[in-house]
Amino acid sequence: MTIPRKVLKKLQEIVGKDSFSIEREELLCYAYDATGRHFLPDAIVFPKNSLEVSAVLSLASQQNFFVIPRGSGSGMTGGSLPVKGGVVLVMTKMNKILDIDCDNFIATVEPGVITGHFHEAVEKRGLFYPPDPASSDFSTLGGNLAECAGGPRAVKYGVTRDYVLGLEAVLPTGEIIKTGVQTAKGVVGYDLTRLLVGSEGTLGVITKMTLRLLPLPKCVRTMTAVFKSMEAAAETVSEIIRQAIIPRTIEFMDNASVNCAESYLEIGLPREAGAMLLLEVDGEEHAVEADIEKLKVLCFSQGATDVNVALSEVERSNLWKARKSISPALYRLAPDKINEDIVVPKSKIPHMVRKIEELSGKIGLPIASFGHAGDGNIHVNIMLDKKQPDQVTKAEAALETLFDYTLKLGGTISGEHGIGITKSAFIAKEIGEVELELMKNIKRVFDPKGILNPGKIFD
Ligand SMILES: Cc1cc2nc3c(=O)[nH]c(=O)nc-3n(C[C@H](O)[C@H](O)[C@H](O)COP(=O)(O)OP(=O)(O)OC[C@H]3O[C@@H](n4cnc5c(N)ncnc54)[C@H](O)[C@@H]3O)c2cc1C
């Protein structure tokens, strides 16, 4: 897409000289996301408030150019990529925490706030915002809302949508809307808030959000359990859930994930582990200690070869560093990866794990699995070299089998990363024809000219 010079000039006037660029070096920085794919935008703008966002979208509507919202570009499915060119709307300058209301347990924030900064700010006041994607050190809250991010704590606390009470958003026409409430509950009209959360930046640009908070848990304890096989670890997860123990995280890593994280960080992770569980419990101290004891006994009874409870904050933070480093560390296995985030009913995790091992053997490519086992959410990483056509063919065939088996088990093809561009070819496997048409009609109502984030989800 080529945007006429006079329109670019108008864009620059809206956001100001310092918040606009058409320089190739700068455009390149906003051409990528975590998929490693890249598409060069025509321009980038950094709005500072919702009026500027509105003016950019009004202009786009009048002049017919595409606008692609972007937070930190850590999305795993290409949601922020300008696949058809256009203007990338980088939200990182709208990064103020406007209010933390300790009496009503709500916060009002702008979308460019880094998730981890928000955690720190509320925790200083004895409050807790549970959604905690492994990218929290660099992802924005706007990106988290647009993807309905999950993360390790979802097993006990739910996902991002469970903490969004209300929004301010700008429609592709430039109109500014307010959805939801500033109160603990509210049911007036259709739930536009829930519609926007998880809409992957295709229906509107989120410019402000009201988030629900909880009291900060008094005590948190973290432990690891090492198993000889992925299957034994998966069976243990099912048993933890059957016994109604609810840790706030039940993460798992297979042998490849443990080894890649260890090579990256060198913190003494057990390289020989067939699989490792990372369990975290929170609440009142006596209840936490009791749960940790129950989990120790349960893990050993399920065949754990070693169980360790973190004794210091350093040990605990090292374990989380290891977990959070897996995704980039996996590139030690191969230069490329196809990264999926399927979810199966929790009781079906052992079936899925067997299938993944079988698939890896069949295609002769390493498949590293890790993720949020407590939710049945498995990050399946098919490691390959995309320059080798036979590897690409094998990996793509494995993907079809993986998705078909996931759906056969009653699962879903994406638990938290969204559809974006990488999974749009598979959406019809899961969503029926009528439902898909309903979704496309909703997109047309919000965005009659199709200018906002084109080529995502359906195309
Ligand atoms: C190492 C790593 C670990 C990860 N771990 C997790 C995890 O544990 N759980 C999980 O759920 N996800 C995880 N993710 C993926 C996750 O989707 C993103 O990290 C995060 O939610 C995206 O935030 P972002 O600011 O980078 O958004 P971007 O990647 O910039 O954008 C993501 C989508 O949001 C849209 N968007 C951005 N801002 C706005 C806005 N203000 N209004 C409307 N739309 C907007 C974009 O158009 C795009 O479609 C991980 C990613 C990485 C790289």
Side-chain angles (χ1 to χ4, degrees), residues 33-34 68-76 79-80 91 111 132-135 138-144 146-152 200-201 204-207 323-324 327-328 372 379 416-417 453:
D33 74 352
I68 302 91
R70 179 183 175 102
S72 297
S74 69
M76 295 279 203
S80 66
M91 302 301 287
D132 180 32
S135 52
F138 43 86
S139 68
T140 65
L141 286 170
N144 293 172
E147 297 289 358
C148 187
E200 303 189 29
V205 179
I206 297 164
T207 46
R323 164 61 187 87
K324 292 188 175 191
S327 190
H372 318 302
H379 295 323
E416 48 183 34
H417 293 167
N453 213 355

mmCIF file of all heavy atoms in Angstrom, residues 33-34 68-76 79-80 91 111 132-135 138-144 146-152 200-201 204-207 323-324 327-328 372 379 416-417 453, ligand 1:
data_model
loop_
_atom_site.group_PDB
_atom_site.id
_atom_site.type_symbol
_atom_site.label_atom_id
_atom_site.label_comp_id
_atom_site.label_asym_id
_atom_site.label_seq_id
_atom_site.Cartn_x
_atom_site.Cartn_y
_atom_site.Cartn_z
ATOM 1 N N ASP A 33 7.363 -9.396 14.747
ATOM 2 C CA ASP A 33 6.894 -9.735 16.098
ATOM 3 C C ASP A 33 7.553 -11.056 16.484
ATOM 4 O O ASP A 33 8.510 -11.475 15.826
ATOM 5 C CB ASP A 33 5.356 -9.763 16.194
ATOM 6 C CG ASP A 33 4.735 -10.985 15.546
ATOM 7 O OD1 ASP A 33 5.470 -11.746 14.888
ATOM 8 O OD2 ASP A 33 3.527 -11.190 15.705
ATOM 9 N N ALA A 34 7.031 -11.718 17.537
ATOM 10 C CA ALA A 34 7.719 -12.929 18.019
ATOM 11 C C ALA A 34 7.598 -14.113 17.058
ATOM 12 O O ALA A 34 8.227 -15.148 17.280
ATOM 13 C CB ALA A 34 7.192 -13.307 19.403
ATOM 14 N N ILE A 68 -2.649 -0.629 11.995
ATOM 15 C CA ILE A 68 -2.387 -1.879 12.725
ATOM 16 C C ILE A 68 -1.942 -1.533 14.134
ATOM 17 O O ILE A 68 -0.839 -0.993 14.346
ATOM 18 C CB ILE A 68 -1.268 -2.698 12.004
ATOM 19 C CG1 ILE A 68 -1.689 -3.010 10.562
ATOM 20 C CG2 ILE A 68 -0.984 -4.003 12.731
ATOM 21 C CD1 ILE A 68 -1.283 -2.008 9.540
ATOM 22 N N PRO A 69 -2.781 -1.817 15.158
ATOM 23 C CA PRO A 69 -2.371 -1.515 16.534
ATOM 24 C C PRO A 69 -1.227 -2.427 16.962
ATOM 25 O O PRO A 69 -1.168 -3.595 16.567
ATOM 26 C CB PRO A 69 -3.620 -1.820 17.371
ATOM 27 C CG PRO A 69 -4.705 -2.164 16.424
ATOM 28 C CD PRO A 69 -4.106 -2.466 15.096
ATOM 29 N N ARG A 70 -0.350 -1.881 17.795
ATOM 30 C CA ARG A 70 0.815 -2.661 18.258
ATOM 31 C C ARG A 70 1.195 -2.241 19.669
ATOM 32 O O ARG A 70 1.178 -1.055 20.000
ATOM 33 C CB ARG A 70 1.996 -2.410 17.316
ATOM 34 C CG ARG A 70 3.277 -3.136 17.702
ATOM 35 C CD ARG A 70 4.398 -2.755 16.751
ATOM 36 N NE ARG A 70 5.648 -3.347 17.171
ATOM 37 C CZ ARG A 70 6.192 -4.432 16.619
ATOM 38 N NH1 ARG A 70 5.612 -5.022 15.614
ATOM 39 N NH2 ARG A 70 7.324 -4.921 17.081
ATOM 40 N N GLY A 71 1.508 -3.252 20.507
ATOM 41 C CA GLY A 71 2.039 -2.969 21.837
ATOM 42 C C GLY A 71 3.550 -3.144 21.758
ATOM 43 O O GLY A 71 4.254 -2.358 21.131
ATOM 44 N N SER A 72 4.052 -4.270 22.344
ATOM 45 C CA SER A 72 5.500 -4.532 22.312
ATOM 46 C C SER A 72 5.904 -5.482 21.195
ATOM 47 O O SER A 72 7.088 -5.820 21.078
ATOM 48 C CB SER A 72 5.947 -5.141 23.639
ATOM 49 O OG SER A 72 5.720 -4.236 24.680
ATOM 50 N N GLY A 73 4.950 -5.986 20.431
ATOM 51 C CA GLY A 73 5.304 -6.902 19.332
ATOM 52 C C GLY A 73 5.761 -8.267 19.829
ATOM 53 O O GLY A 73 6.516 -8.954 19.149
ATOM 54 N N SER A 74 5.291 -8.686 21.016
ATOM 55 C CA SER A 74 5.688 -10.012 21.518
ATOM 56 C C SER A 74 4.667 -11.083 21.176
ATOM 57 O O SER A 74 4.785 -12.226 21.618
ATOM 58 C CB SER A 74 5.914 -9.961 23.033
ATOM 59 O OG SER A 74 4.684 -9.779 23.699
ATOM 60 N N GLY A 75 3.661 -10.719 20.397
ATOM 61 C CA GLY A 75 2.622 -11.685 20.010
ATOM 62 C C GLY A 75 3.215 -12.847 19.228
ATOM 63 O O GLY A 75 4.200 -12.690 18.502
ATOM 64 N N MET A 76 2.597 -14.004 19.405
ATOM 65 C CA MET A 76 3.142 -15.240 18.808
ATOM 66 C C MET A 76 2.443 -15.617 17.507
ATOM 67 O O MET A 76 2.734 -16.659 16.929
ATOM 68 C CB MET A 76 2.951 -16.405 19.789
ATOM 69 C CG MET A 76 3.723 -16.272 21.074
ATOM 70 S SD MET A 76 5.407 -16.782 20.796
ATOM 71 C CE MET A 76 5.924 -17.225 22.439
ATOM 72 N N GLY A 79 -0.209 -10.917 15.060
ATOM 73 C CA GLY A 79 -1.314 -9.957 15.187
ATOM 74 C C GLY A 79 -0.929 -8.513 14.920
ATOM 75 O O GLY A 79 -1.733 -7.731 14.406
ATOM 76 N N SER A 80 0.304 -8.128 15.241
ATOM 77 C CA SER A 80 0.685 -6.720 15.094
ATOM 78 C C SER A 80 1.420 -6.454 13.780
ATOM 79 O O SER A 80 1.958 -5.359 13.588
ATOM 80 C CB SER A 80 1.553 -6.294 16.283
ATOM 81 O OG SER A 80 2.772 -7.010 16.236
ATOM 82 N N MET A 91 1.429 1.752 20.624
ATOM 83 C CA MET A 91 0.718 2.309 21.773
ATOM 84 C C MET A 91 1.620 2.561 22.988
ATOM 85 O O MET A 91 1.131 2.897 24.058
ATOM 86 C CB MET A 91 -0.432 1.372 22.165
ATOM 87 C CG MET A 91 -1.438 1.124 21.058
ATOM 88 S SD MET A 91 -2.209 2.632 20.460
ATOM 89 C CE MET A 91 -3.300 3.018 21.826
ATOM 90 N N PRO A 111 -3.087 1.621 27.727
ATOM 91 C CA PRO A 111 -2.729 0.307 27.167
ATOM 92 C C PRO A 111 -1.241 0.037 27.016
ATOM 93 O O PRO A 111 -0.825 -1.111 26.940
ATOM 94 C CB PRO A 111 -3.379 0.335 25.782
ATOM 95 C CG PRO A 111 -3.516 1.785 25.451
ATOM 96 C CD PRO A 111 -3.762 2.476 26.753
ATOM 97 N N ASP A 132 -0.521 -13.090 34.160
ATOM 98 C CA ASP A 132 0.937 -13.020 34.232
ATOM 99 C C ASP A 132 1.571 -13.789 33.076
ATOM 100 O O ASP A 132 2.236 -14.804 33.286
ATOM 101 C CB ASP A 132 1.356 -13.658 35.579
ATOM 102 C CG ASP A 132 2.855 -13.657 35.783
ATOM 103 O OD1 ASP A 132 3.516 -12.730 35.290
ATOM 104 O OD2 ASP A 132 3.354 -14.594 36.433
ATOM 105 N N PRO A 133 1.361 -13.328 31.824
ATOM 106 C CA PRO A 133 1.982 -14.062 30.720
ATOM 107 C C PRO A 133 3.490 -14.107 30.910
ATOM 108 O O PRO A 133 4.062 -13.202 31.526
ATOM 109 C CB PRO A 133 1.597 -13.240 29.482
ATOM 110 C CG PRO A 133 1.193 -11.906 29.992
ATOM 111 C CD PRO A 133 0.660 -12.120 31.371
ATOM 112 N N ALA A 134 4.114 -15.151 30.395
ATOM 113 C CA ALA A 134 5.565 -15.307 30.584
ATOM 114 C C ALA A 134 6.337 -14.150 29.946
ATOM 115 O O ALA A 134 7.520 -13.977 30.189
ATOM 116 C CB ALA A 134 6.016 -16.642 30.016
ATOM 117 N N SER A 135 5.655 -13.353 29.138
ATOM 118 C CA SER A 135 6.275 -12.183 28.495
ATOM 119 C C SER A 135 6.081 -10.912 29.313
ATOM 120 O O SER A 135 6.314 -9.811 28.809
ATOM 121 C CB SER A 135 5.610 -11.990 27.128
ATOM 122 O OG SER A 135 4.192 -11.955 27.287
ATOM 123 N N PHE A 138 8.033 -7.541 29.227
ATOM 124 C CA PHE A 138 8.068 -6.623 28.073
ATOM 125 C C PHE A 138 6.732 -6.455 27.352
ATOM 126 O O PHE A 138 6.575 -5.527 26.567
ATOM 127 C CB PHE A 138 9.160 -7.061 27.070
ATOM 128 C CG PHE A 138 9.206 -8.544 26.812
ATOM 129 C CD1 PHE A 138 8.410 -9.113 25.851
ATOM 130 C CD2 PHE A 138 10.045 -9.367 27.559
ATOM 131 C CE1 PHE A 138 8.449 -10.482 25.616
ATOM 132 C CE2 PHE A 138 10.084 -10.745 27.335
ATOM 133 C CZ PHE A 138 9.286 -11.295 26.361
ATOM 134 N N SER A 139 5.728 -7.316 27.593
ATOM 135 C CA SER A 139 4.456 -7.150 26.872
ATOM 136 C C SER A 139 3.666 -5.985 27.472
ATOM 137 O O SER A 139 3.894 -5.599 28.622
ATOM 138 C CB SER A 139 3.619 -8.425 26.958
ATOM 139 O OG SER A 139 3.162 -8.643 28.274
ATOM 140 N N THR A 140 2.744 -5.413 26.678
ATOM 141 C CA THR A 140 1.904 -4.330 27.213
ATOM 142 C C THR A 140 0.542 -4.879 27.649
ATOM 143 O O THR A 140 0.098 -5.924 27.157
ATOM 144 C CB THR A 140 1.640 -3.246 26.137
ATOM 145 O OG1 THR A 140 0.862 -3.818 25.082
ATOM 146 C CG2 THR A 140 2.921 -2.662 25.588
ATOM 147 N N LEU A 141 -0.110 -4.131 28.521
ATOM 148 C CA LEU A 141 -1.460 -4.553 28.937
ATOM 149 C C LEU A 141 -2.419 -4.519 27.753
ATOM 150 O O LEU A 141 -3.302 -5.358 27.634
ATOM 151 C CB LEU A 141 -1.960 -3.646 30.068
ATOM 152 C CG LEU A 141 -1.307 -3.898 31.429
ATOM 153 C CD1 LEU A 141 -1.686 -2.806 32.420
ATOM 154 C CD2 LEU A 141 -1.673 -5.270 31.990
ATOM 155 N N GLY A 142 -2.239 -3.532 26.847
ATOM 156 C CA GLY A 142 -3.111 -3.463 25.658
ATOM 157 C C GLY A 142 -2.997 -4.723 24.821
ATOM 158 O O GLY A 142 -4.010 -5.298 24.395
ATOM 159 N N GLY A 143 -1.749 -5.183 24.613
ATOM 160 C CA GLY A 143 -1.534 -6.429 23.854
ATOM 161 C C GLY A 143 -2.129 -7.612 24.597
ATOM 162 O O GLY A 143 -2.744 -8.502 23.998
ATOM 163 N N ASN A 144 -1.976 -7.631 25.920
ATOM 164 C CA ASN A 144 -2.547 -8.728 26.725
ATOM 165 C C ASN A 144 -4.067 -8.772 26.581
ATOM 166 O O ASN A 144 -4.662 -9.837 26.442
ATOM 167 C CB ASN A 144 -2.247 -8.544 28.225
ATOM 168 C CG ASN A 144 -0.783 -8.682 28.606
ATOM 169 O OD1 ASN A 144 -0.411 -8.408 29.730
ATOM 170 N ND2 ASN A 144 0.058 -9.093 27.675
ATOM 171 N N ALA A 146 -5.866 -7.492 24.088
ATOM 172 C CA ALA A 146 -6.252 -7.817 22.707
ATOM 173 C C ALA A 146 -6.113 -9.313 22.432
ATOM 174 O O ALA A 146 -6.845 -9.874 21.621
ATOM 175 C CB ALA A 146 -5.404 -7.011 21.730
ATOM 176 N N GLU A 147 -5.165 -9.977 23.133
ATOM 177 C CA GLU A 147 -4.980 -11.419 22.924
ATOM 178 C C GLU A 147 -5.704 -12.249 23.994
ATOM 179 O O GLU A 147 -5.665 -13.474 23.941
ATOM 180 C CB GLU A 147 -3.484 -11.780 22.969
ATOM 181 C CG GLU A 147 -2.633 -11.155 21.879
ATOM 182 C CD GLU A 147 -2.906 -11.746 20.503
ATOM 183 O OE1 GLU A 147 -3.725 -12.677 20.387
ATOM 184 O OE2 GLU A 147 -2.319 -11.248 19.533
ATOM 185 N N CYS A 148 -6.275 -11.583 24.977
ATOM 186 C CA CYS A 148 -6.786 -12.262 26.178
ATOM 187 C C CYS A 148 -5.705 -13.215 26.717
ATOM 188 O O CYS A 148 -5.896 -14.439 26.779
ATOM 189 C CB CYS A 148 -8.084 -13.030 25.933
ATOM 190 S SG CYS A 148 -8.753 -13.654 27.482
ATOM 191 N N ALA A 149 -4.575 -12.627 27.083
ATOM 192 C CA ALA A 149 -3.432 -13.428 27.535
ATOM 193 C C ALA A 149 -3.780 -14.251 28.776
ATOM 194 O O ALA A 149 -4.611 -13.857 29.601
ATOM 195 C CB ALA A 149 -2.248 -12.498 27.827
ATOM 196 N N GLY A 150 -3.126 -15.387 28.870
ATOM 197 C CA GLY A 150 -3.298 -16.257 30.038
ATOM 198 C C GLY A 150 -2.038 -16.180 30.881
ATOM 199 O O GLY A 150 -1.692 -15.135 31.397
ATOM 200 N N GLY A 151 -1.328 -17.309 30.950
ATOM 201 C CA GLY A 151 -0.092 -17.334 31.732
ATOM 202 C C GLY A 151 -0.192 -18.348 32.848
ATOM 203 O O GLY A 151 -1.252 -18.955 33.067
ATOM 204 N N PRO A 152 0.908 -18.537 33.580
ATOM 205 C CA PRO A 152 0.982 -19.592 34.585
ATOM 206 C C PRO A 152 -0.104 -19.546 35.666
ATOM 207 O O PRO A 152 -0.557 -20.580 36.132
ATOM 208 C CB PRO A 152 2.363 -19.373 35.210
ATOM 209 C CG PRO A 152 3.156 -18.692 34.158
ATOM 210 C CD PRO A 152 2.187 -17.854 33.391
ATOM 211 N N GLU A 200 -8.023 -9.313 19.094
ATOM 212 C CA GLU A 200 -6.737 -9.234 18.375
ATOM 213 C C GLU A 200 -6.566 -7.934 17.578
ATOM 214 O O GLU A 200 -6.040 -7.940 16.461
ATOM 215 C CB GLU A 200 -6.569 -10.461 17.461
ATOM 216 C CG GLU A 200 -6.666 -11.780 18.213
ATOM 217 C CD GLU A 200 -6.282 -13.002 17.370
ATOM 218 O OE1 GLU A 200 -5.464 -12.866 16.467
ATOM 219 O OE2 GLU A 200 -6.830 -14.083 17.639
ATOM 220 N N GLY A 201 -7.069 -6.847 18.136
ATOM 221 C CA GLY A 201 -6.873 -5.548 17.491
ATOM 222 C C GLY A 201 -7.596 -5.426 16.162
ATOM 223 O O GLY A 201 -7.189 -4.635 15.313
ATOM 224 N N GLY A 204 -11.339 -2.653 17.422
ATOM 225 C CA GLY A 204 -11.151 -1.309 17.953
ATOM 226 C C GLY A 204 -9.790 -1.220 18.610
ATOM 227 O O GLY A 204 -9.147 -2.241 18.876
ATOM 228 N N VAL A 205 -9.364 0.014 18.867
ATOM 229 C CA VAL A 205 -8.071 0.220 19.541
ATOM 230 C C VAL A 205 -8.365 0.568 20.999
ATOM 231 O O VAL A 205 -9.059 1.558 21.286
ATOM 232 C CB VAL A 205 -7.270 1.358 18.873
ATOM 233 C CG1 VAL A 205 -5.949 1.580 19.610
ATOM 234 C CG2 VAL A 205 -7.016 1.046 17.402
ATOM 235 N N ILE A 206 -7.859 -0.237 21.897
ATOM 236 C CA ILE A 206 -8.094 -0.007 23.328
ATOM 237 C C ILE A 206 -7.207 1.159 23.784
ATOM 238 O O ILE A 206 -5.983 1.137 23.575
ATOM 239 C CB ILE A 206 -7.764 -1.280 24.134
ATOM 240 C CG1 ILE A 206 -8.700 -2.420 23.706
ATOM 241 C CG2 ILE A 206 -7.849 -1.019 25.634
ATOM 242 C CD1 ILE A 206 -8.250 -3.798 24.125
ATOM 243 N N THR A 207 -7.845 2.176 24.392
ATOM 244 C CA THR A 207 -7.068 3.357 24.811
ATOM 245 C C THR A 207 -7.063 3.556 26.334
ATOM 246 O O THR A 207 -6.306 4.364 26.856
ATOM 247 C CB THR A 207 -7.617 4.626 24.121
ATOM 248 O OG1 THR A 207 -9.036 4.618 24.226
ATOM 249 C CG2 THR A 207 -7.204 4.669 22.664
ATOM 250 N N ARG A 323 11.763 -20.809 33.594
ATOM 251 C CA ARG A 323 10.494 -21.061 32.895
ATOM 252 C C ARG A 323 10.264 -20.018 31.798
ATOM 253 O O ARG A 323 9.871 -20.343 30.679
ATOM 254 C CB ARG A 323 9.348 -21.063 33.922
ATOM 255 C CG ARG A 323 7.962 -20.944 33.365
ATOM 256 C CD ARG A 323 7.587 -22.100 32.432
ATOM 257 N NE ARG A 323 6.304 -21.848 31.790
ATOM 258 C CZ ARG A 323 6.143 -21.175 30.658
ATOM 259 N NH1 ARG A 323 7.188 -20.699 30.003
ATOM 260 N NH2 ARG A 323 4.944 -20.988 30.161
ATOM 261 N N LYS A 324 10.548 -18.759 32.134
ATOM 262 C CA LYS A 324 10.258 -17.685 31.180
ATOM 263 C C LYS A 324 11.262 -17.644 30.031
ATOM 264 O O LYS A 324 11.000 -17.021 29.006
ATOM 265 C CB LYS A 324 10.176 -16.337 31.911
ATOM 266 C CG LYS A 324 8.954 -16.269 32.830
ATOM 267 C CD LYS A 324 8.711 -14.903 33.426
ATOM 268 C CE LYS A 324 7.404 -14.899 34.225
ATOM 269 N NZ LYS A 324 6.959 -13.580 34.625
ATOM 270 N N SER A 327 11.050 -20.225 25.876
ATOM 271 C CA SER A 327 10.648 -19.916 24.511
ATOM 272 C C SER A 327 11.837 -19.462 23.663
ATOM 273 O O SER A 327 12.121 -20.066 22.612
ATOM 274 C CB SER A 327 9.524 -18.880 24.551
ATOM 275 O OG SER A 327 8.966 -18.740 23.290
ATOM 276 N N PRO A 328 12.596 -18.418 24.070
ATOM 277 C CA PRO A 328 13.762 -18.059 23.257
ATOM 278 C C PRO A 328 14.882 -19.107 23.299
ATOM 279 O O PRO A 328 15.577 -19.320 22.303
ATOM 280 C CB PRO A 328 14.243 -16.729 23.861
ATOM 281 C CG PRO A 328 13.588 -16.620 25.193
ATOM 282 C CD PRO A 328 12.340 -17.438 25.148
ATOM 283 N N HIS A 372 1.350 -24.575 30.452
ATOM 284 C CA HIS A 372 0.492 -24.412 31.612
ATOM 285 C C HIS A 372 -0.325 -25.689 31.786
ATOM 286 O O HIS A 372 -1.504 -25.752 31.420
ATOM 287 C CB HIS A 372 -0.403 -23.203 31.407
ATOM 288 C CG HIS A 372 0.322 -22.019 30.798
ATOM 289 N ND1 HIS A 372 1.437 -21.460 31.397
ATOM 290 C CD2 HIS A 372 0.113 -21.312 29.674
ATOM 291 C CE1 HIS A 372 1.863 -20.439 30.649
ATOM 292 N NE2 HIS A 372 1.085 -20.344 29.592
ATOM 293 N N HIS A 379 2.286 -25.763 25.170
ATOM 294 C CA HIS A 379 2.996 -25.058 24.101
ATOM 295 C C HIS A 379 3.844 -26.086 23.358
ATOM 296 O O HIS A 379 4.832 -26.596 23.898
ATOM 297 C CB HIS A 379 3.865 -23.940 24.670
ATOM 298 C CG HIS A 379 3.062 -22.841 25.316
ATOM 299 N ND1 HIS A 379 1.858 -22.414 24.809
ATOM 300 C CD2 HIS A 379 3.279 -22.094 26.404
ATOM 301 C CE1 HIS A 379 1.375 -21.449 25.563
ATOM 302 N NE2 HIS A 379 2.211 -21.243 26.556
ATOM 303 N N GLU A 416 -4.261 -19.095 24.234
ATOM 304 C CA GLU A 416 -3.921 -17.734 24.646
ATOM 305 C C GLU A 416 -3.167 -16.925 23.604
ATOM 306 O O GLU A 416 -3.080 -15.713 23.725
ATOM 307 C CB GLU A 416 -3.128 -17.759 25.964
ATOM 308 C CG GLU A 416 -1.974 -18.749 25.982
ATOM 309 C CD GLU A 416 -1.240 -18.828 27.309
ATOM 310 O OE1 GLU A 416 -1.874 -18.675 28.358
ATOM 311 O OE2 GLU A 416 -0.014 -19.041 27.288
ATOM 312 N N HIS A 417 -2.626 -17.548 22.585
ATOM 313 C CA HIS A 417 -1.833 -16.776 21.615
ATOM 314 C C HIS A 417 -2.678 -16.180 20.500
ATOM 315 O O HIS A 417 -2.199 -15.328 19.754
ATOM 316 C CB HIS A 417 -0.718 -17.636 21.003
ATOM 317 C CG HIS A 417 0.338 -18.017 21.997
ATOM 318 N ND1 HIS A 417 1.274 -18.981 21.757
ATOM 319 C CD2 HIS A 417 0.606 -17.544 23.241
ATOM 320 C CE1 HIS A 417 2.075 -19.104 22.811
ATOM 321 N NE2 HIS A 417 1.669 -18.237 23.729
ATOM 322 N N ASN A 453 -6.394 -3.457 11.095
ATOM 323 C CA ASN A 453 -5.665 -4.734 11.203
ATOM 324 C C ASN A 453 -6.156 -5.799 10.208
ATOM 325 O O ASN A 453 -6.577 -6.895 10.610
ATOM 326 C CB ASN A 453 -5.759 -5.254 12.642
ATOM 327 C CG ASN A 453 -4.498 -6.016 13.042
ATOM 328 O OD1 ASN A 453 -3.616 -6.221 12.219
ATOM 329 N ND2 ASN A 453 -4.438 -6.436 14.276
HETATM 330 C C1 LIG B 1 8.668 -15.172 25.423
HETATM 331 C C2 LIG B 1 7.165 -15.019 25.297
HETATM 332 C C3 LIG B 1 6.358 -15.599 26.258
HETATM 333 C C4 LIG B 1 4.950 -15.485 26.149
HETATM 334 N N1 LIG B 1 4.191 -16.054 27.142
HETATM 335 C C5 LIG B 1 2.857 -15.932 27.095
HETATM 336 C C6 LIG B 1 2.046 -16.504 28.126
HETATM 337 O O1 LIG B 1 2.523 -17.114 29.080
HETATM 338 N N2 LIG B 1 0.708 -16.337 28.019
HETATM 339 C C7 LIG B 1 0.135 -15.673 26.977
HETATM 340 O O2 LIG B 1 -1.084 -15.543 26.940
HETATM 341 N N3 LIG B 1 0.877 -15.146 25.991
HETATM 342 C C8 LIG B 1 2.215 -15.249 26.002
HETATM 343 N N4 LIG B 1 2.974 -14.703 24.999
HETATM 344 C C9 LIG B 1 2.294 -14.113 23.820
HETATM 345 C C10 LIG B 1 1.437 -12.929 24.173
HETATM 346 O O3 LIG B 1 0.338 -12.812 23.278
HETATM 347 C C11 LIG B 1 2.106 -11.610 24.213
HETATM 348 O O4 LIG B 1 3.343 -11.583 24.857
HETATM 349 C C12 LIG B 1 1.270 -10.441 24.739
HETATM 350 O O5 LIG B 1 -0.045 -10.665 25.133
HETATM 351 C C13 LIG B 1 1.245 -9.456 23.606
HETATM 352 O O6 LIG B 1 1.504 -8.194 24.088
HETATM 353 P P1 LIG B 1 2.243 -7.114 23.194
HETATM 354 O O7 LIG B 1 2.171 -5.829 23.905
HETATM 355 O O8 LIG B 1 3.576 -7.565 22.792
HETATM 356 O O9 LIG B 1 1.268 -7.065 21.913
HETATM 357 P P2 LIG B 1 1.618 -7.115 20.357
HETATM 358 O O10 LIG B 1 2.350 -8.353 20.011
HETATM 359 O O11 LIG B 1 2.221 -5.831 19.947
HETATM 360 O O12 LIG B 1 0.133 -7.195 19.765
HETATM 361 C C14 LIG B 1 -0.635 -8.350 19.976
HETATM 362 C C15 LIG B 1 -2.043 -8.093 19.408
HETATM 363 O O13 LIG B 1 -2.675 -7.088 20.164
HETATM 364 C C16 LIG B 1 -3.114 -6.031 19.323
HETATM 365 N N5 LIG B 1 -2.990 -4.813 20.135
HETATM 366 C C17 LIG B 1 -1.900 -4.351 20.795
HETATM 367 N N6 LIG B 1 -2.222 -3.262 21.497
HETATM 368 C C18 LIG B 1 -3.540 -2.986 21.254
HETATM 369 C C19 LIG B 1 -4.457 -1.982 21.684
HETATM 370 N N7 LIG B 1 -4.098 -1.004 22.525
HETATM 371 N N8 LIG B 1 -5.735 -2.042 21.232
HETATM 372 C C20 LIG B 1 -6.141 -3.023 20.392
HETATM 373 N N9 LIG B 1 -5.317 -4.007 19.964
HETATM 374 C C21 LIG B 1 -4.031 -3.986 20.401
HETATM 375 C C22 LIG B 1 -2.236 -6.103 18.093
HETATM 376 O O14 LIG B 1 -2.863 -5.555 16.952
HETATM 377 C C23 LIG B 1 -2.040 -7.608 17.969
HETATM 378 O O15 LIG B 1 -3.122 -8.178 17.289
HETATM 379 C C24 LIG B 1 4.370 -14.793 25.065
HETATM 380 C C25 LIG B 1 5.201 -14.203 24.097
HETATM 381 C C26 LIG B 1 6.590 -14.313 24.210
HETATM 382 C C27 LIG B 1 7.465 -13.683 23.164
#
